[in-house]
Amino acid sequence: MRLQVAAGGPAALKVVAAAEFAAAPVRLCWTPPAEQPLSPLCSPWVPSLQLDSGAVLFSPNAICQYLFLAGGQEPTDLTNQWLEWEATELQPVVAAALYAQLVHGKKGLEAAGHLGKLLAYIEQSLSGRGTAYLAGDTQSVADVVVWGALFPVLQDEASLSNELQALRTWFQTMTLSEACRKAADSVLMPKGLLEFKSYLQKQPPPCLAVERATSNEPEEEEASERALTEEEIRAAADAWARGAAALPKPWCPQKPVLPVEGMRNVLITSALPYVNNVPHLGNIIGCVLSADTFARYCRLRNWNTLYVCGTDEYGTATETKAVEEGLTPREICDKYNAIHADIYRWFHISFDYFGRTTTPHQTTIAQDIFQRLLARGFLLQDTVEQLQCEGCQRFLADRFVEGICPFCGYEEARGDQCDKCGKLINAVELKRPQCKLCRGVPVVKPTQHLFLDLPKLEEQLEPWLEHSWSSGDWTANARYITRSWIRDGLKPRCITRDLKWGTPVPLDGFRDKVFYVWFDAPIGYLSITANYTDQWEKWWKNPQQVELYNFMAKDNVPFHSVIFPCSLLGADDNYTLVNHLIATEYLNYEDGKFSKSRGVGVFGDMAKDTGIPADIWRFYLLYLRPEGQDSAFSWSDLMLKNNSELLNNLGNFINRAGMFVCKFFGGVVPDMVLTADDKRLLARVTLELRQYHQLLEKVRIRDALRCILSISRHGNQYIQVNEPWKRIKGNEEDRQRAGTVTGVAVNMASLLAVMVQPYMPSVSLAIQGQLCIPPECFVLSHIFTCTLPPGHRVGTVSPLFQKLENDQIEALRKRFGGGQAKPTPPASAPVPAPASGPVVAPGDPQLIQELTEQVAKQGNHVRQLKANKAEKAEIDAEVAKLLELKKQLALAEGKSPEVLVPKGKRKK
């Protein structure tokens, strides 16, 4: 292989370093940039690699990947993601930074204002994963490519902020490595850099169109900060003046919901949760909560929407759970289906139908698809070697075998897939396999099984995928994972298992077997819909009229993007296939993983016992939704986001807007005379509203939430600048200004009530009730209009959110940090209850919840009295009640209550 590079060209840095790292057999040729490149598609400064076959690679990233492959390092989904991120997001910013440095003479980070966001993304990835390198604990092609892009701009890690500690360490380690040092010394020669500078001076400056980096932290949308045009301001003022009449009428679908000719018909599914597990917060955000948020948004857009889900109930996991609990599989399914349904009900998940897979419809539809595949020649028979546990006297399902991954060496790989490298595994390939039930060593036994002939279906799958990718919205990880399956070549996939609890196989010779869960389970979407309506085929055999959105975590992608579509394509019955596949990364818990057995993390059945309302959980999970990379739940961050974003930002603005109407204008929205500043605010809000729509239409749920918080920040700033509480005491002009500011603010609050509904439905309903927003205004459009006109009467306004205290959060962190499955009594003797109150038993969750609610209610009452300037004696009496309730709550939580005194009377 011949690698041709030009000294001074920054793109050469990564390929030379890659050649050194991979120890690839290449002949390095240094050529002046004016020399004719190997390919006419190469620019003079872009390196090229001529393969022994005569083919030429001229993409630097493709060259790096090929060199690592030649050196024996296989790419992974994660390295592919980094390479694409570097090419699409980092490279444009680095190119602009180099231009600013070499042409304009700027230095370091001053050269690129956007680079800081991308560096923060790398920092978060390194610190979040806890690995030394971008894709794991060893250097990979991703590290070389990203380092090669950054080094010409940064040169020295001293340019990096002290807050970027993980990035500094990584950058320094890479820079000091022998391969990178050699590459930098040979490529970035002074003469070559001068020639490259001369070349750049003749080029137009790079044009940036940078999207925000993925992170857990809010970022201001640049569109909202740019200068507004006169046309935008005029259009916003015109839309405002048209009032509620400009809004579309809310759509009320028939029951059952069926596709409607001429409407946008949206079918939404979330991955079916295993019935034998209680879902934790990561399960909830990865599937049902994300899908619910989007479904609620769709309904507010007047799209005809059906959202279905249910429990996945067949398989060995259910059989084993039944043995553990001394119940039949059916009894286990009934028990846990009810648990799941109760959890999702508490989280306000708005399923149109929540069903299950253990139904006659499931058997009928699954067997029909099987028969159609069989008739069309897409099934194979083969003898396979399967692990059998002689101690348990049963063939072991894949998930009940554990061992060492044959690909990456991970020691806790399952028998079907490795959670670390993501590769699919046949259980017999595991090194040192163990039965997860008895820890015995299973033996290999032959058995006959049926296979889905995926290679034969590939010629149908690939064109369908290309069409779905080009016309639909698939998350980046869903595309990567699917591409890796296709790239590695499809293999026949077993669809039967030697079990009793499952959909029976309707074929002689196999009637003692059942369908494998990953052939059977996705068909549950169809059968659950069939249990909802006997006209289910109008949704599932209607690709011309129906858009299908699948929501899941990334580990479920191959089954929804390859195996299930192949089953439906092979069945050839005009099935509706997925148009938009939305996959999240993983949500971790603090510094580790959720574990029910170890009592680590919050599970769905525990969240309601924390005293924190469901909408706060919804908000925080959606705020840190792992859209681009893994994220982690943090108690401290939950408290911070609740107290800053909800209490001090969103809640503060809506409460102030409503209270001003009540306090200054007798509960009636005043007349408004808009100034130029008011109209600019309307245009700002309109920009945020349109950005909100653009993001949610692309199912960027987390980013769209930032638009809501940005609008409330604009509102708080608007109130602070205009000070209506002062102007109301002034002359007629001042009082009129106070009325205008109050009227605009309360209408912003009305808009926020609708925008927040997909995220926090109970909070939305509370705002609707407090402001008496007409039901016909509860619809989303792209304009911000006056929905609460002068003369509209609001109701009683009260705070929407409560502050989370540090001691409360620390108690919850301790409670869910391990061992809460078996609570132990406190070592110290219980503190006696005060004589004036009832005897309080520490540790009673129901009592804690009741007292927490009473404290919140009494606190609201006290605040209301103070806001209404009540008599001091009345306030003091209610404060005393509040303090007594707080004492009882402290006792119930097993704490020693402090001597609580009203504010302003603390001893010094």
Side-chain angles (χ1 to χ4, degrees):
M1 294 185 292
R2 179 188 176 205
L3 179 60
Q4 183 170 300
V5 293
L13 189 61
K14 63 177 75 170
V15 298
V16 174
E20 291 284 349
F21 264 113
V26 297
R27 182 163 55 92
L28 191 59
C29 301
W30 297 93
T31 58
E35 184 176 310
Q36 182 68 29
L38 287 174
S39 166
L41 295 176
C42 292
S43 84
W45 290 93
V46 172
S48 55
L49 180 67
Q50 186 172 31
L51 307 183
D52 296 337
S53 64
V56 177
L57 299 180
F58 49 85
S59 161
N61 285 7
I63 293 172
C64 292
Q65 194 162 44
Y66 189 88
L67 292 173
F68 268 80
L69 190 62
Q73 285 198 34
E74 291 276 346
T76 67
D77 292 332
L78 192 51
T79 58
N80 287 339
Q81 289 179 39
W82 276 112
L83 263 60
E84 185 149 335
W85 177 83
E86 189 272 345
T88 58
E89 298 203 33
L90 184 60
Q91 271 189 35
V93 181
V94 166
L98 280 173
Y99 192 92
Q101 278 187 357
L102 297 177
V103 178
H104 295 150
K106 292 186 178 181
K107 301 294 183 184
L109 294 180
E110 178 194 4
H114 292 292
L115 191 58
K117 299 176 182 179
L118 302 175
L119 296 178
Y121 174 64
I122 302 172
E123 167 73 20
Q124 185 181 5
S125 178
L126 288 166
S127 58
R129 293 181 187 278
T131 56
Y133 298 98
L134 298 178
D137 292 321
T138 57
Q139 291 163 329
S140 70
V141 63
D143 299 287
V144 173
V145 165
V146 175
W147 174 85
L150 289 174
F151 185 78
V153 181
L154 300 179
Q155 293 282 340
D156 183 359
E157 68 273 8
S159 305
L160 297 170
S161 164
N162 289 330
E163 296 175 359
L164 304 175
Q165 194 56 50
L167 174 59
R168 285 170 63 91
T169 301
W170 168 84
F171 188 79
Q172 184 180 54
T173 302
M174 291 297 298
T175 302
L176 294 177
S177 66
E178 185 178 0
C180 290
R181 278 193 296 105
K182 283 185 177 179
D185 291 344
S186 58
V187 173
L188 301 181
M189 302 291 289
K191 181 180 178 182
L193 285 174
L194 284 174
E195 291 180 357
F196 183 65
K197 177 180 178 179
S198 176
Y199 167 78
L200 281 183
Q201 287 171 336
K202 300 171 186 176
Q203 308 302 314
C207 181
L208 279 180
V210 181
E211 293 184 4
R212 70 177 92 184
T214 305
S215 77
N216 282 356
E217 293 306 310
E219 296 174 11
E220 297 295 327
E221 192 64 33
E222 290 171 26
S224 69
E225 299 304 321
R226 67 170 173 79
L228 295 163
T229 67
E230 289 301 320
E231 184 181 353
E232 288 171 332
I233 295 170
R234 188 166 50 252
D238 290 345
W240 168 271
R242 285 152 60 192
L247 296 174
K249 299 299 180 187
W251 162 251
C252 296
Q254 61 183 354
K255 299 295 181 183
V257 182
L258 296 173
V260 176
E261 184 80 35
M263 290 193 70
R264 184 172 181 180
N265 299 295
V266 178
L267 175 58
I268 298 172
T269 69
S270 50
L272 307 182
Y274 284 121
V275 74
N276 61 299
N277 291 329
V278 176
H280 57 63
L281 297 182
N283 303 137
I284 290 167
I285 184 58
C287 301
V288 296
L289 179 53
S290 294
D292 175 68
T293 305
F294 185 67
R296 288 176 177 274
Y297 171 73
C298 292
R299 296 181 190 119
L300 287 172
R301 290 294 303 275
N302 279 346
W303 298 342
N304 190 41
T305 304
L306 179 69
Y307 175 25
V308 296
C309 186
T311 42
D312 175 9
E313 300 190 349
Y314 281 135
T316 300
T318 305
E319 288 187 359
T320 305
K321 193 72 173 178
V323 171
E324 286 177 8
E325 298 196 16
L327 301 171
T328 66
R330 168 58 66 189
E331 289 170 336
I332 279 290
C333 291
D334 290 344
K335 173 184 174 180
Y336 281 92
N337 174 270
I339 290 173
H340 277 266
D342 185 55
I343 289 169
Y344 303 139
R345 196 179 302 112
W346 187 81
F347 274 95
H348 309 310
I349 306 299
S350 61
F351 303 117
D352 289 288
Y353 188 76
F354 184 76
R356 55 201 309 181
T357 56
T358 53
T359 67
H361 281 301
Q362 176 76 8
T363 302
T364 301
I365 298 171
Q367 289 184 346
D368 176 65
I369 292 173
F370 169 80
Q371 296 286 11
R372 295 181 70 88
L373 288 167
L374 185 65
R376 286 159 179 75
F378 292 121
L379 297 180
L380 305 171
Q381 294 186 26
D382 199 2
T383 301
V384 298
E385 292 186 329
Q386 195 169 337
L387 294 176
Q388 186 179 50
C389 178
E390 295 180 331
C392 298
Q393 294 187 338
R394 64 192 303 166
F395 281 104
L396 295 176
D398 296 339
R399 284 176 173 262
F400 283 83
V401 183
E402 194 173 80
I404 298 173
C405 174
F407 300 104
C408 71
Y410 180 56
E411 293 189 356
E412 296 180 12
R414 299 193 312 265
D416 60 346
Q417 190 173 20
C418 175
D419 283 337
K420 185 172 184 181
C421 69
K423 290 188 178 293
L424 294 184
I425 302 170
N426 286 323
V428 293
E429 297 173 337
L430 286 172
K431 299 176 182 177
R432 298 210 294 270
Q434 279 190 329
C435 170
K436 287 186 70 175
L437 303 176
C438 71
R439 289 299 167 188
V441 178
V443 296
V444 177
K445 292 278 182 79
T447 180
Q448 279 282 113
H449 279 291
L450 293 166
F451 289 75
L452 183 62
D453 194 348
L454 293 177
K456 193 172 180 179
L457 286 158
E458 192 167 355
E459 62 183 26
Q460 294 186 54
L461 177 69
E462 292 198 16
W464 167 76
L465 277 173
E466 291 300 328
H467 174 73
S468 187
W469 286 344
S470 63
S471 61
D473 290 311
W474 288 48
T475 51
N477 56 357
R479 293 173 186 257
Y480 296 135
I481 293 167
T482 305
R483 282 195 189 109
S484 68
W485 264 58
I486 302 296
R487 184 187 64 239
D488 295 343
L490 297 180
K491 300 174 179 61
R493 187 75 178 162
C494 187
I495 64 167
T496 54
R497 283 294 182 268
D498 291 294
L499 302 172
K500 299 297 182 187
W501 184 246
T503 302
V505 179
L507 183 67
D508 289 343
F510 295 88
R511 296 187 185 276
D512 60 339
K513 302 179 190 293
V514 299
F515 290 129
Y516 177 38
V517 67
W518 273 115
F519 172 78
D520 187 59
I523 298 171
Y525 300 134
L526 284 62
S527 70
I528 287 168
T529 311
N531 280 289
Y532 169 67
T533 172
D534 58 4
Q535 301 179 69
W536 66 274
E537 291 183 344
K538 290 185 177 180
W539 284 107
W540 286 102
K541 295 185 180 181
N542 190 4
Q544 296 78 20
Q545 289 188 323
V546 173
E547 280 185 78
L548 174 57
Y549 286 80
N550 287 163
F551 285 80
M552 69 202 67
K554 63 182 177 182
D555 57 336
N556 282 338
V557 167
F559 309 106
H560 289 79
S561 67
V562 177
I563 295 177
F564 188 43
C566 278
S567 300
L568 298 183
L569 287 166
D572 190 24
D573 203 13
N574 195 40
Y575 279 107
T576 302
L577 300 176
V578 61
N579 304 96
H580 315 276
L581 201 155
I582 313 300
T584 61
E585 301 290 321
Y586 295 136
L587 176 71
N588 296 315
Y589 179 78
E590 295 278 348
D591 297 324
K593 293 185 177 182
F594 292 87
S595 172
K596 188 80 170 178
S597 61
R598 292 185 290 113
V600 175
V602 182
F603 286 72
D605 55 346
M606 304 170 179
K608 58 185 174 182
D609 296 331
T610 60
I612 299 173
D615 270 18
I616 307 304
W617 286 109
R618 286 178 62 107
F619 166 82
Y620 184 61
L621 291 174
L622 291 163
Y623 190 97
L624 53 77
R625 183 174 182 262
E627 291 184 358
Q629 64 177 39
D630 292 357
S631 59
F633 173 90
S634 160
W635 284 107
S636 299
D637 192 51
L638 169 64
M639 179 176 69
L640 176 66
K641 296 303 184 292
N642 176 83
N643 295 348
S644 60
E645 294 292 6
L646 292 183
L647 186 63
N648 295 338
N649 177 14
L650 180 66
N652 181 53
F653 169 66
I654 293 172
N655 185 253
R656 292 172 86 189
M659 285 298 295
F660 290 158
V661 177
C662 294
K663 187 173 181 180
F664 301 145
F665 301 97
V668 177
V669 176
D671 291 331
M672 291 165 271
V673 180
L674 299 184
T675 66
D677 285 342
D678 299 326
K679 293 174 182 178
R680 275 192 288 272
L681 176 64
L682 302 184
R684 288 280 180 213
V685 173
T686 301
L687 282 181
E688 291 289 353
L689 175 60
R690 289 178 178 170
Q691 181 71 12
Y692 168 88
H693 282 300
Q694 290 170 10
L695 291 167
L696 276 176
E697 285 171 5
K698 295 291 184 182
V699 204
R700 289 175 59 182
I701 296 170
R702 182 181 66 178
D703 289 344
L705 179 53
R706 310 302 200 251
C707 298
I708 295 171
L709 300 174
S710 184
I711 289 175
S712 59
R713 270 191 284 271
H714 282 304
N716 277 314
Q717 184 179 14
Y718 177 63
I719 289 174
Q720 285 302 117
V721 168
N722 286 281
E723 299 181 321
W725 61 91
K726 290 184 180 179
R727 290 182 181 269
I728 196 68
K729 301 173 184 176
N731 58 28
E732 182 62 31
E733 184 180 344
D734 282 338
R735 289 195 296 274
Q736 184 185 74
R737 184 64 189 148
T740 298
V741 171
T742 299
V744 170
V746 80
N747 271 279
M748 288 175 66
S750 178
L751 172 66
L752 287 169
V754 187
M755 293 177 70
V756 83
Q757 198 267 0
Y759 296 88
M760 293 182 284
S762 292
V763 169
S764 171
L765 192 62
I767 302 169
Q768 184 181 12
Q770 291 183 20
L771 301 184
C772 299
I773 303 170
E776 58 269 22
C777 295
F778 246 68
V779 63
L780 276 171
S781 76
H782 284 71
I783 62 170
F784 172 34
T785 190
C786 180
T787 54
L788 306 182
H792 173 86
R793 180 169 291 279
V794 303
T796 302
V797 177
S798 59
L800 296 167
F801 305 106
Q802 298 299 317
K803 185 178 181 181
L804 292 177
E805 301 290 351
N806 188 62
D807 57 351
Q808 175 189 3
I809 289 300
E810 286 304 314
L812 290 170
R813 188 203 309 276
K814 184 176 180 181
R815 175 181 168 191
F816 293 102
Q820 77 265 26
K822 296 180 180 179
T824 55
S828 58
V831 180
S836 58
V839 177
V840 177
D844 183 344
Q846 185 174 355
L847 178 59
I848 291 172
Q849 184 173 358
E850 289 175 359
L851 287 170
T852 302
E853 291 172 355
Q854 289 178 36
V855 167
K857 185 177 179 181
Q858 184 67 13
N860 286 340
H861 181 52
V862 169
R863 280 186 284 274
Q864 195 73 45
L865 287 174
K866 290 180 178 178
N868 294 337
K869 306 294 185 185
E871 292 293 328
K872 184 177 183 301
E874 183 183 1
I875 294 174
D876 288 346
E878 296 304 318
V879 168
K881 293 179 184 177
L882 176 61
L883 296 177
E884 181 60 37
L885 285 169
K886 286 185 175 181
K887 285 182 185 179
Q888 293 181 33
L889 176 59
L891 289 166
E893 291 174 337
K895 301 174 186 174
S896 177
E898 299 174 4
V899 177
L900 298 170
V901 295
K903 289 182 180 178
K905 299 182 180 178
R906 294 187 182 277
K907 295 179 181 179
K908 293 184 179 180

